[in-house]
Amino acid sequence: MNDKPLISIKGLYKYFDKLQVLKGVSTEIKKGEKVAIIGPSGSGKSTMLRCINLLENPTYGEIWFEGKLLTPIDPYLHFDVIKLSNTYQKQLEQYLVEHPDADPEAASEAVIADIKKNDLLKKNEGGAYRKAIKALFQENFQNVDISRRDIGMVFQHFNLFNNLTVMQNLTLAPVELKLKTKEEAEARALELLTRIGLADKANVYPSTLSGGQKQRIAIVRALAMNPKVMLFDEPTSALDPEMVGEVLDLIKQLADTGMTMVIVTHEMGFAREVADRVLFMDGGIIAEEGKPKELFANPQNPRTKEFLSKVL
Amino acid sequence: MSFLEKLAYAWELRGLFAQSLGISLLIALGAVVIGFVIGVLLAVIRIAPKTNPVVKVLDGFAQLYITIIRGTPTMVQLLIMYSSILVVFKYLGTNLLVPIIAFGVNSGAYMAEIIRSGINSVDVGQMEAGRSVGLSWVTTMRKIIIPQAIKVVIPTIFNEIIILVKETSVVSVIALRAGGNQVWDLMGLVSKMATAKPAVYNTFLYIGALIYLTVVLLLTFLQKMLEKRMKKNER
Ligand SMILES: Nc1ncnc2c1ncn2[C@@H]1O[C@H](COP(=O)(O)OP(=O)(O)OP(=O)(O)O)[C@@H](O)[C@H]1O
Ligand SMILES: [Mg+2]
């Protein structure tokens, strides 16, 4: 039971127009697991993390959370499904007649983009096909707004709600979503603020806080929803050095409570200490993964070696 | 008639002046409220992600609306509203809703552009944070983005309000009625009195200008107070 993944990422691709940022990322995250994502700047770490709760919409691929599909059940989201269709075969043949010198991979990509753009699957593949998709949809689909309640996210730049006090930052979502009454939410918020030693800041606005305080409050704002997993995107990168410690300490405490966590970080020491598994991303793929001890001490991929030699 | 006599005459008419100022301000205030509501709605429609076909259609309407209103003179809009679109109000005892709606509809287009620029100025991280805790796009807009956007554009909105107050001075191109009787806005009163007694025309024009100036200065003061209070709120 415990081995059932909390999050599954399957065949994730993300393009920003022509720029391919993710090129087929697949991994599973188990309940209680702590996964650190490292890699050079621009390798797609943030994009991958943001695809998990659909702050970015994947171009292709699936995100599963607690056995429910968050990405729409849409054949166009699947490279492989498109490739299996008759439409694809026909279009590809035609494309190759028109462009005899085309590189096979580029041809395949162009054809898939064309099928997606012109909605050709719906037009050509018929009613049975559409029905099957619809049935699948009804069985598995989960509105992402519902799942996001269980997926806490902590941003590099904190993103506290500037127009609300610290207390209101913590209570807005639980009260708006009718998960708690105002009193319950405030009691819980105060408990969380006390835990991080910032109860006296309950009624101030975020602009009066230091970076470290902001980030710790951003963390407890996510915790106020009682999430099942926490996603961190470089939670200490925007902080002055003297404030990094307090934030990392809080994240470590959280790890000790058994929280499932995915952390994009440049803090290698922290990743080594806290993570059960480290993913090294490079050029939009997971180039290497492993237990921190093994990956840091004995990297297999030359790119990993090169990266670690620079940052360690 | 000496200058002092003209002033004394104006003082005699102070009740009428006060009443007509009230009419002018009522029209402006009503229009501001309508304009603000329309402005927020249009801005949100213009800014919404165009993934949903309904939003796309609404956005088309919003663009058309803004183009038409910004592309035609306010007085022409007022006359069109009076003579055709809002003609039903002619048959009621009161037709003050005609200028209120006409100026409100006009102002809505300008407010929409102002508020849209305000929304665009709010950091995208605010929306992302709202969505990440499970709030919908609309709730995040309502609770987080719009309050911050409004704050940014308050000075510009006040400028728009000031322009609107002054623009309502053309309202006397239509006949205003309230409670079955004809009433006059401030500049309407000035012209009416001047027709009856041409000698006071210049003096009354200056008085009208002075009253408008006072109102605008009061609004500017209010604007400063509001900005100060909002700043304090953040500390
Ligand atoms: N919204 C966007 N529009 C266009 N390009 C984007 C967008 N977001 C990210 N990118 C591009 O995608 C690439 C990967 O970005 P991403 O933020 O995922 O990298 P990262 O691994 O997190 O890097 P860093 O360590 O600098 O945070 C970069 O080249 C970036 O410029
Ligand atoms: Mg990043």
Side-chain angles (χ1 to χ4, degrees):
Chain A
M1 254 328 257
N2 246 355
D3 276 356
K4 225 178 89 193
L6 185 64
I7 297 172
S8 299
I9 300 168
K10 295 184 184 168
L12 184 62
Y13 288 75
K14 177 66 186 178
Y15 303 170
F16 290 109
D17 292 322
K18 288 264 175 293
L19 182 69
Q20 303 192 358
V21 176
L22 297 178
K23 301 174 192 166
V25 172
S26 298
T27 192
E28 293 189 336
I29 293 152
K30 293 192 198 73
K31 197 163 178 305
E33 200 179 14
K34 287 108 183 89
V35 178
I37 304 176
I38 62 170
S41 184
S43 57
K45 306 181 296 293
S46 299
T47 306
M48 172 187 158
L49 195 73
R50 292 157 55 80
C51 279
I52 293 179
N53 65 352
L54 263 58
L55 282 186
E56 298 292 354
N57 279 316
T59 311
Y60 303 104
E62 294 172 2
I63 306 289
W64 292 78
F65 179 69
E66 292 194 300
K68 287 285 183 184
L69 189 56
L70 300 190
T71 40
I73 302 191
D74 177 348
Y76 294 116
L77 285 180
H78 304 278
F79 242 49
D80 328 338
V81 175
I82 296 177
K83 279 189 179 168
L84 285 177
S85 68
N86 294 327
T87 310
Y88 173 80
Q89 296 305 336
K90 272 189 218 146
Q91 295 276 324
L92 187 63
E93 270 168 36
Q94 196 186 338
Y95 187 92
L96 289 176
V97 171
E98 284 165 18
H99 308 80
D101 308 326
D103 165 58
E105 207 168 302
S108 166
E109 234 168 64
V111 168
I112 287 175
D114 188 53
I115 290 176
K116 210 171 157 166
K117 188 167 148 234
N118 296 316
D119 202 2
L120 294 182
L121 288 185
K122 209 180 206 168
K123 279 178 203 153
N124 300 351
E125 298 284 322
Y129 181 78
R130 249 171 301 166
K131 254 187 216 143
I133 296 289
K134 208 168 164 190
L136 214 62
F137 183 85
Q138 274 161 0
E139 189 177 333
N140 293 312
F141 184 68
Q142 164 88 23
N143 182 331
V144 69
D145 276 347
I146 304 288
S147 287
R148 280 182 182 144
R149 300 172 181 188
D150 294 330
I151 307 177
M153 183 150 203
V154 174
F155 301 86
Q156 185 173 353
H157 296 285
F158 331 129
N159 297 350
L160 289 178
F161 303 132
N162 294 324
N163 59 322
L164 303 181
T165 63
V166 168
M167 176 58 85
Q168 290 165 338
N169 263 274
L170 269 63
T171 57
L172 176 73
V175 174
E176 271 299 313
L177 299 171
K178 304 208 163 45
L179 304 173
K180 288 194 170 88
T181 66
K182 186 154 174 276
E183 290 70 34
E184 287 167 351
E186 284 181 351
R188 168 77 172 138
L190 205 59
E191 180 190 318
L192 287 165
L193 289 174
T194 308
R195 195 159 110 199
I196 59 171
L198 291 175
D200 58 324
K201 300 287 184 193
N203 294 314
V204 308
Y205 284 85
S207 58
T208 62
L209 301 168
S210 76
Q213 291 171 333
K214 281 183 192 169
Q215 193 61 302
R216 287 186 289 144
I217 287 166
I219 292 172
V220 292
R221 173 179 66 184
L223 291 180
M225 295 294 293
N226 300 320
K228 295 179 175 149
V229 54
M230 289 281 283
L231 311 178
F232 295 87
D233 190 2
E234 300 194 28
T236 58
S237 294
L239 296 175
D240 291 337
E242 73 269 21
M243 294 173 184
V244 169
E246 62 188 73
V247 172
L248 291 185
D249 283 345
L250 177 59
I251 299 174
K252 275 182 215 159
Q253 279 175 32
L254 194 57
D256 291 339
T257 67
M259 176 66 77
T260 312
M261 308 205 292
V262 186
I263 310 171
V264 175
T265 185
H266 286 298
E267 301 275 343
M268 296 304 147
F270 175 72
R272 192 189 326 221
E273 188 182 340
V274 170
D276 304 317
R277 180 157 59 109
V278 177
L279 309 181
F280 170 70
M281 286 193 66
D282 187 43
I285 56 166
I286 299 174
E288 184 167 357
E289 69 174 292
K291 292 209 159 59
K293 269 197 197 121
E294 292 156 17
L295 189 130
F296 283 115
N298 191 12
Q300 301 300 309
N301 186 317
R303 294 285 297 140
T304 321
K305 270 182 206 160
E306 189 191 329
F307 173 76
L308 289 176
S309 72
K310 269 189 224 151
V311 296
L312 283 182
Chain B
M1 238 182 160
S2 77
F3 180 62
L4 276 181
E5 278 168 344
K6 287 177 195 165
L7 281 187
Y9 181 53
W11 182 246
E12 256 173 54
L13 297 176
R14 61 188 180 276
L16 274 182
F17 270 106
Q19 192 196 23
S20 59
L21 174 63
I23 298 280
S24 290
L25 290 182
L26 178 72
I27 292 170
L29 183 72
V32 166
V33 172
I34 292 177
F36 186 73
V37 172
I38 292 179
V40 170
L41 284 177
L42 288 182
V44 168
I45 290 169
R46 296 285 288 112
I47 228 97
K50 306 290 173 291
T51 41
N52 178 321
V54 179
V55 176
K56 265 190 209 160
V57 171
L58 287 177
D59 185 55
F61 277 117
Q63 281 186 48
L64 185 67
Y65 176 107
I66 292 170
T67 308
I68 290 175
I69 294 295
R70 302 220 301 181
T72 53
T74 312
M75 200 202 279
V76 175
Q77 293 164 19
L78 176 66
L79 286 169
I80 288 176
M81 290 276 197
Y82 179 65
S83 57
S84 51
I85 300 177
L86 296 177
V87 81
V88 344
F89 289 108
K90 269 191 186 168
Y91 302 103
L92 304 172
T94 297
N95 69 354
L96 285 183
L97 275 177
V98 175
I100 289 178
I101 292 172
F103 284 111
V105 161
N106 173 272
S107 183
Y110 294 93
M111 295 246 201
E113 294 296 281
I114 295 170
I115 292 164
R116 184 159 77 114
S117 77
I119 293 175
N120 278 330
S121 77
V122 176
D123 179 15
V124 292
Q126 297 285 306
M127 175 57 85
E128 291 183 349
R131 300 309 303 276
S132 79
V133 285
L135 297 175
S136 67
W137 187 88
V138 171
T139 307
T140 312
M141 264 290 155
R142 232 181 58 227
K143 294 280 175 177
I144 306 299
I145 311 296
I146 290 177
Q148 293 184 45
I150 298 293
K151 192 145 122 192
V152 173
V153 297
I154 273 194
T156 329
I157 295 247
F158 257 89
N159 288 342
E160 169 59 22
I161 292 176
I162 287 170
I163 290 171
L164 187 62
V165 166
K166 291 186 290 181
E167 268 199 333
T168 57
S169 63
V170 302
V171 75
S172 54
V173 296
I174 65 174
L176 298 175
R177 284 147 44 108
N181 303 315
Q182 185 161 15
V183 293
W184 289 271
D185 75 300
L186 194 54
M187 291 330 276
L189 182 76
V190 168
S191 330
K192 182 176 114 92
M193 290 300 149
T195 322
K197 220 181 242 234
V200 300
Y201 185 53
N202 261 332
T203 312
F204 275 31
L205 267 184
Y206 280 110
I207 291 174
L210 213 60
I211 294 175
Y212 270 111
L213 183 62
T214 314
V215 170
V216 169
L217 288 179
L218 282 175
L219 281 173
T220 315
F221 178 71
L222 194 68
Q223 173 187 7
K224 292 263 153 61
M225 297 283 293
L226 213 63
E227 274 176 59
K228 222 187 211 159
R229 227 188 81 191
M230 293 196 127
K231 266 216 188 89
K232 209 172 84 198
N233 241 342
E234 253 177 45
R235 298 291 128 204

